[in-house]
Amino acid sequence: MLFGMPWPGRDVAREAEQAGVGAFCAGEFVDHDSYLTVADIVANTEHALAGPAIAYAFARTPYAHATAMRQLHAQAPGRVFLGLGSAAFRINRDWLGVPGERPVARIAETVGAVRAWLHAENGEKVRYSGEFYSLDADVRAPVLGRLDIPVLLAAFNTGMAATAGRVADGVVGHGLFTSSWWNDVVRPSVARGAGDGDPGTHSLEHGWIITAVDDSAPERAVADARRMIAFYLTVKTYDPYVAHHGWEEPVARLRAAFRAGDTDAMARAVTDEMVTGIAVCGTTAEAKDALARRAGSLPRDVGYFAPPSFMVSGRRRAAYARAALALIGAVPDTQETRDTPDAPAGP
């Protein structure tokens, strides 16, 4: 597994790339644009992979996604990837003002239409025909040429994971993913989508890992991880995941606390079992032990050690990013690690 992290800013990134970080990614929210962040990444790094993980798929046309990636590729050839996410129904409807229905079918066509632009050759029309998108562009300028930029989909539940296997180059795993969710749900679904039914068949796997390491205040680091887990689990889209793990009762408590605006109660509702299965947190030694225990269930290609962001200051996130550099090498980048199952948990 390649060690990566969400973009921590150019000052931390210089130190991180020198320490061995091999990938940086950009998320997206109301206060930051994924493509602007990736532009900052490629301008301030030398060798690391760079890309959105993820960009809201329906916030832009396929044309806009593809042109952004073409420009980024020109600045960092061979280093960029594109991660797309469907976003929640309410975000599409209420924030972006676009249809929120049928996101799985819509994002499958988005990938096809983006690839039509990325694979376009000079002198040939750019064509795509589907239910949601129709392209018939005659670009009379020598500015194209095929780009095989990897396209990944944020895939949480089975339908999107199968779609990623069918139309994309891989998946971007959520920070909530456990070994059971990767191995029993996501990987088999990706394989079924690819048409072979073999969960061992490899497609690209990127994934976020909630990471909070602080040797001077490990209790606070664990509490920040708990709040992040709780905040994510307020989303009902993840109910199949909750049921899969048997976590209905604590999730009901944290959602009630969220509605009441009680973030401390949200964190308290997150059980030790949930923290152990999801996060890498506490002291450096504890974090290394957690990574070793979960080696076979981490994303196989790129793991983004992501500091908690919910109710956490920018300064503390930067400190968590620097502390995570001590974890480089805790999971060997070998084929054996990629293919072996999880080591058994300790007592």
Side-chain angles (χ1 to χ4, degrees):
M1 183 187 72
L2 193 65
F3 180 95
M5 60 176 56
W7 182 237
R10 61 194 67 177
D11 293 335
V12 177
R14 291 190 188 97
E15 181 181 344
E17 194 171 25
Q18 290 173 359
V21 168
F24 295 101
C25 70
E28 185 147 75
F29 204 57
V30 293
D31 60 345
H32 53 276
D33 179 273
S34 58
Y35 290 113
L36 289 176
T37 305
V38 177
D40 198 26
I41 295 172
V42 301
N44 290 281
T45 58
E46 296 181 3
H47 308 293
L49 299 176
I54 48 76
Y56 290 150
F58 312 136
R60 306 164 181 84
T61 63
Y63 168 90
H65 287 297
T67 54
M69 294 310 298
R70 279 189 174 274
Q71 186 166 353
L72 291 165
H73 169 83
Q75 297 174 55
R79 289 207 283 141
V80 296
F81 61 88
L82 172 58
L84 296 172
S86 63
F89 178 87
R90 285 192 212 174
I91 289 179
N92 286 311
R93 184 193 64 188
D94 300 340
W95 297 14
L96 307 180
V98 299
E101 295 81 11
R102 302 177 60 207
V104 175
R106 191 180 299 272
I107 204 168
E109 282 201 12
T110 303
V111 173
V114 168
R115 280 203 177 124
W117 278 108
L118 290 178
H119 293 175
E121 298 283 4
N122 284 315
E124 298 180 4
K125 281 193 172 184
V126 183
R127 288 193 170 102
Y128 183 85
S129 180
E131 178 183 355
F132 304 101
Y133 301 105
S134 180
L135 306 176
D136 187 17
D138 188 7
V139 180
R140 299 295 181 94
V143 295
L144 298 177
R146 182 185 178 102
L147 296 180
D148 289 310
I149 293 171
V151 180
L152 301 93
L153 294 183
F156 200 106
N157 291 320
T158 56
M160 193 65 77
T163 299
R166 179 170 60 87
V167 305
D169 298 300
V171 298
V172 179
H174 196 282
L176 286 174
F177 280 15
T178 62
S179 63
S180 176
W181 197 251
W182 267 117
N183 292 325
D184 300 338
V185 178
V186 174
R187 286 172 180 148
S189 298
V190 171
R192 283 195 300 273
D196 53 36
D198 179 7
T201 300
H202 182 62
S203 62
L204 290 174
E205 290 181 2
H206 292 211
W208 290 52
I209 304 162
I210 299 171
T211 308
V213 178
D214 188 339
D215 288 329
S216 63
E219 299 86 358
R220 184 176 67 178
V222 174
D224 285 340
R226 287 182 188 274
R227 285 191 188 88
M228 192 75 252
I229 293 168
F231 180 69
Y232 281 146
L233 286 174
T234 60
V235 179
K236 291 189 175 182
T237 302
Y238 306 149
D239 282 355
Y241 164 93
V242 174
H244 174 83
H245 293 89
W247 292 340
E248 293 92 340
E249 183 178 344
V251 169
R253 293 200 305 271
L254 69 85
R255 288 177 179 175
F258 179 68
R259 290 191 295 271
D262 190 341
T263 58
D264 290 335
M266 286 173 61
R268 289 194 300 270
V270 175
T271 67
D272 291 344
E273 178 191 8
M274 296 161 77
V275 173
T276 300
I278 295 170
V280 172
C281 57
T283 65
T284 301
E286 290 168 338
K288 286 182 176 180
D289 286 345
L291 287 172
R293 185 175 62 249
R294 297 177 56 193
S297 67
L298 298 171
R300 290 169 173 160
D301 294 285
V302 183
Y304 300 105
F305 291 91
S309 58
F310 180 61
M311 306 296 291
V312 177
S313 70
R315 178 179 296 182
R316 193 146 86 245
R317 289 198 301 272
Y320 285 148
R322 282 194 166 94
L325 299 180
L327 305 180
I328 296 176
V331 180
D333 184 20
T334 66
Q335 189 65 34
E336 180 181 359
T337 298
R338 289 158 59 99
D339 293 343
T340 53
D342 289 352

